[in-house]
Amino acid sequence: MEIDWKNLGFGYIKTDYRYVSNFKDGRWDDGELTTDDKVVLNESAGVLQYAQTCFEGMKAYRTVDGKVVCFRPDLNAKRMIDTCKRLEMPTFPEDRFIEAVKAVVKKNIDYVPPYGSGATLYIRPYMFGSNPVMGVKPADEYQFRIFTSPVGPYFKGGIKPITLRVPDFDRAAPLGTGHVKAGLNYAMSLHAIVDAHKQGYNENMYLDSATRTKVEETGGANIIFVTKDNKVITPKSSTILPSITRRSLMYVAKHYLGLEAEEREIRIDEIGNFKECALCGTAAVLSPVGKVVDHGKETLFPSGMEKPGEITQKLYDTLTGIQMGKIEAPEGWICEIA
Ligand SMILES: *Cc1c(COP(=O)(O)O)cnc(C)c1O
């Protein structure tokens, strides 16, 4: 295996082992690690016809002292349970989820990038309806899998600020599935992101679909803003995916940086008052946003297009410092794997 850790993109690289467990007759089997990366399904499997699938995303990090850890996997396990309930899928128990994550990372330990390379081992737990369905109804059989892939930064160009546009598409309906990690949310975001890229923007900044006046999030990351008096704020909405990175950053802002942090409704017409903006998520980590374009109306944040704002940089350094073992973590945030 020859991997150029420093130049890795965010793409799939096949690793040696993956975890598989099957749900049949109302129960999960014992699960196993396998080298087989193929999934063979009936042509009418629930996932193929009615998109009954969901996923999680997390990372394993190599710490400064050479350990391999992951970050708050209990929250991924819980969020997947919430997602499965919303999609009428069986839930995979939290303790088994965490054990499976540990086992699959241990088996692929040589793919965990070295400390300081900027790369990490991405971990993708997911589940789908696997038996044939014809009428619109939940499947009876499911497969839960976890694969891993070494990844570099999500946005090319690393920590350079990006530009968002406010699209003419919605992401989530008020009582829909925006708050869960359902595959269907991403299928319908693909047209909007391809269109954004065509128009020269990096990502979409979705508004609430009921009133189209309030900021929600992007297709795959939550958003934070910093006010002129250094308060960290993030949109409050029942249709935003509850990002573990965002929840952790709000804690870091308060308890490590001594800043005020608040979740509240944020109107699109007030973003010109803020001095910094950034996207946050496991894949994006914390990516600075330099500019937002809303149908010709440009908001250029004072932090500019060259480098992250001061608070964004501090939040990034503190969170990644915690993940890489350089800064002491709050109780229970770091799960040691090896
Ligand atoms: C996964 C995801 C996020 C980020 O969540 P993390 O738990 O921080 O990785 C944010 N928004 C959407 C829509 C997502 O799918």
Side-chain angles (χ1 to χ4, degrees), residues 224 226-227 230-232 253 257 259 275-276 286 308-317:
I224 63 162
V226 180
T227 66
N230 287 345
K231 192 184 215 179
V232 180
L257 303 180
L259 303 172
K275 68 171 190 181
E276 296 177 31
L286 189 60
E310 181 201 339
I311 302 294
T312 301
Q313 186 70 53
K314 280 189 185 159
L315 285 168
Y316 178 89
D317 290 343

Side-chain angles (χ1 to χ4, degrees), residues 162-206:
I162 59 172
T163 301
L164 311 182
R165 65 117 189 230
V166 175
D168 288 321
F169 303 101
D170 289 329
R171 175 181 174 274
L175 298 173
T177 55
H179 62 302
V180 296
K181 235 171 157 69
L184 61 95
N185 291 339
Y186 306 86
M188 64 87 215
S189 76
L190 298 177
H191 177 61
I193 190 66
V194 169
D195 186 60
H197 289 165
K198 258 187 216 157
Q199 316 280 335
Y201 304 105
N202 300 93
E203 262 288 355
N204 291 300
M205 177 185 267
Y206 290 103

